[in-house]
Structure formats: C-alpha cells, structure tokens
Amino acid sequence: MATTNDLKNGIVLKLDNGQLWSVVEFQHVKPGKGGAFVRTKLKHVLSGKVVDKTFNAGTKVETATVDKRGMQFSYKDGTDFVFMDTDTYEQLPISPETVGDAANYLLEGFEATVAIYEGAALYVELPASVELLIEYTEPGVQGDRSTGGTKPAKLETGFEIAVPLFITTGEKVKVDTRSGDYLGRVNS
C-alpha cells in the first residue's frame, strides 16, 4: 500500500477490482480553497486505454509489483511463443494474445522486455524499431522511382508492410514496431 503522495511515473496501481493501471503522469494540485488533490493520467496495462483520474491527497492506493525482464525470443511451440530469461535461462511460454502485434516482428534471438505479474506475462514490449529482411516484393517499374509511391513487401517474419518502389527483394530494412511503418534501408 502507498498513498497518492508516493506516486511516480511508471508505478503500477491495482484499482477497480484488481485491474492494473500504470501512472503516465501525475500532478499535485493545492487549490486556494478546499483540500489538495492529485490529478493523474493512467494507462491500462493490458488494453493500453488511457484515462484521467483524480485522487484526494493522502488517499491510500494499492500498488502492484510488475517485474519487467529482458528476455530473448527462442522459438514458437505450437501457438505459444517461448521466451528465455537472459539472466536465469528460464523459459517462459507466452500466449499469442499476450504477444499481440509484436509477433509480426519476432525472429529467433530477438530481445524484448516482458512484463510479468504474479508469474503470468502481461505484455511483450519490443524496441521501437527492428531490422528485418525483405523476403519478397515486386520489382519496381522503370520510371516509377520519382513518384514516391509504395508497394507491398513481405518481411522474413511473414508480415507485410508498405515500402518505397526502389526497395528490392533481399534488402534489409528498418521497421517501426509500433506502427509497422518503413523507416529506411539498413546499410550492411
């Protein structure tokens, strides 16, 4: 248990029947009249929904200990994704629902941050961008290079993104893991 005076960015609170909310920002407000209060912006740990919530100053809130560990993606076992803790070498199977969109960018050996609460994985967080190989894309048509258009390209993970017309099969590209956008070529 903590009070609203102990709030920090990133702390995880257990509110509303055990739901986990992460503090994105907070502000202590002391109006001229009345009691002080704390205005917060909270993000739901599982759904990502952001809400504003106000607490009276000194209100007790339950905190949750969420363990964020650096883990390495090892392999896919049936539908589960198996991650290995890089410190203890312990393996943790994670369901596709928990991995979510990160599955589009996962290759064996990729590093990720896995948030664990009471032994269960909450979510998988990848770096902001990853470098992947273009497995297949149609060749660009001569004379089409200056229009700034895009074409679909299949990555080595099987995920499809839009790339500029000058990109060819076999090139390595940088991809934003949050939006799936092409960020540029990788010069090897």
Side-chain angles (χ1 to χ4, degrees), residues 15-30:
L15 306 170
D16 311 326
N17 303 324
Q19 292 186 38
L20 299 178
W21 296 85
S22 176
V23 176
V24 179
E25 37 180 90
F26 68 96
Q27 179 183 17
H28 291 276
V29 180
K30 178 89 174 92

Side-chain angles (χ1 to χ4, degrees), residues 79-83 92-100 121 124:
T79 57
D80 286 353
F81 292 82
V82 179
F83 284 82
L92 178 70
I94 301 176
S95 72
E97 296 79 35
T98 304
V99 173
V124 174

Side-chain angles (χ1 to χ4, degrees), residues 6-151:
D6 303 325
L7 291 182
K8 292 184 189 75
N9 288 347
I11 196 168
V12 178
L13 304 176
K14 203 185 221 185
L15 306 170
D16 311 326
N17 303 324
Q19 292 186 38
L20 299 178
W21 296 85
S22 176
V23 176
V24 179
E25 37 180 90
F26 68 96
Q27 179 183 17
H28 291 276
V29 180
K30 178 89 174 92
K33 271 191 341 204
F37 59 91
V38 180
R39 191 177 291 139
T40 63
K41 190 175 274 188
L42 303 173
K43 180 179 177 185
H44 194 272
V45 170
L46 298 176
S47 70
K49 183 172 86 171
V50 177
V51 297
D52 292 320
K53 191 167 174 78
T54 305
F55 297 95
N56 288 331
T59 304
K60 289 199 179 299
V61 287
E62 192 176 348
T63 58
T65 307
V66 174
D67 185 18
K68 289 186 179 183
R69 294 189 208 162
M71 296 187 114
Q72 188 177 50
F73 174 59
S74 295
Y75 59 94
K76 206 167 168 193
D77 182 22
T79 57
D80 286 353
F81 292 82
V82 179
F83 284 82
M84 180 183 71
D85 189 318
T86 49
D87 295 331
T88 64
Y89 302 108
E90 173 188 340
Q91 295 196 340
L92 178 70
I94 301 176
S95 72
E97 296 79 35
T98 304
V99 173
D101 290 341
N104 299 329
Y105 312 103
L106 278 177
L107 282 180
E108 283 184 24
F110 269 27
E111 295 282 332
T113 302
V114 179
I116 299 168
Y117 175 67
E118 293 181 349
L122 295 174
Y123 60 87
V124 174
E125 201 173 79
L126 289 177
S129 66
V130 291
E131 295 175 2
L132 293 165
L133 207 65
I134 299 288
E135 197 170 86
Y136 179 77
T137 185
E138 294 289 331
V141 179
Q142 191 64 33
D144 243 356
R145 303 194 192 300
S146 63
T147 60
T150 60
K151 61 182 177 178

